[in-house]
Amino acid sequence: MSHPEANCVFCKIVAGTLPAARVLETGEVLAFLDIGPLAPGHTLVIPKAHYTNLPTLPDEVAAALGAVLPRVCRAVVAATGAEGLNVLSNTGAVAGQSVEHVHWHVIPRRFQDGIAWPWRPLTYADGELEAMRRRIACELSG
Ligand code: 5GP
Ligand code: ZN
């Protein structure tokens, strides 16, 4: 769905009925400061059209988002003096998505900033890596 959703806060920001600290606007994309930043300068990049999450994005909308992301990243690093960034898009409540209008978080990072994800790598049992590769490759070729 790409029409504005009446109850969507990001559609309201796009429409201008809800204020936001905008940093970049193109024909298809808007970037603005997150109101609850994990670090100062935490920026959100969204398509102006309403799509729920990354898997539902048409290629051309994804391309428009992807085209501005590096520029936003450079600006956030330059403006904040960050030593790095996390760029991520939470997809689904299970992954922490709270606003159902797709968005990329651009989060400035510094050593010792206390931001941490519980990143615990698993290992594949014998044959499981190849079986998984086949399943995903099959979906992509279908
Ligand atoms: P999610 O949890 O869906 O990955 O991220 C949603 C983000 O949107 C959160 O980091 C939250 O702080 C931010 N957010 C929610 N409502 C508003 C709002 O009205 N204005 C702005 N600027 N950010 C918002
Ligand atoms: Zn929306």
Side-chain angles (χ1 to χ4, degrees), residues 14 22-27 29-31 48:
V14 169
R22 295 163 177 246
V23 295
L24 178 72
E25 181 166 6
T26 71
V29 173
L30 185 65
K48 290 181 173 177

Side-chain angles (χ1 to χ4, degrees), residues 32-118:
F32 53 94
L33 296 185
D34 192 306
I35 205 167
L38 294 188
H42 180 163
T43 298
L44 300 174
V45 185
I46 69 168
K48 290 181 173 177
H50 182 92
Y51 293 94
T52 304
N53 55 37
L54 202 50
T56 63
L57 274 189
D59 286 359
E60 62 274 15
V61 179
L65 278 170
V68 303
L69 260 178
R71 191 147 48 105
V72 172
C73 289
R74 288 193 292 274
V76 169
V77 165
T80 64
E83 294 161 301
L85 301 165
N86 284 108
V87 180
L88 60 96
S89 183
N90 298 326
T91 300
V94 69
Q97 184 177 9
S98 60
V99 176
E100 291 191 338
H101 181 133
V102 62
H103 48 282
W104 288 98
H105 293 264
V106 177
I107 305 167
R109 296 299 311 272
R110 291 180 178 283
F111 290 103
Q112 316 299 337
D113 62 12
I115 300 170
W117 275 266

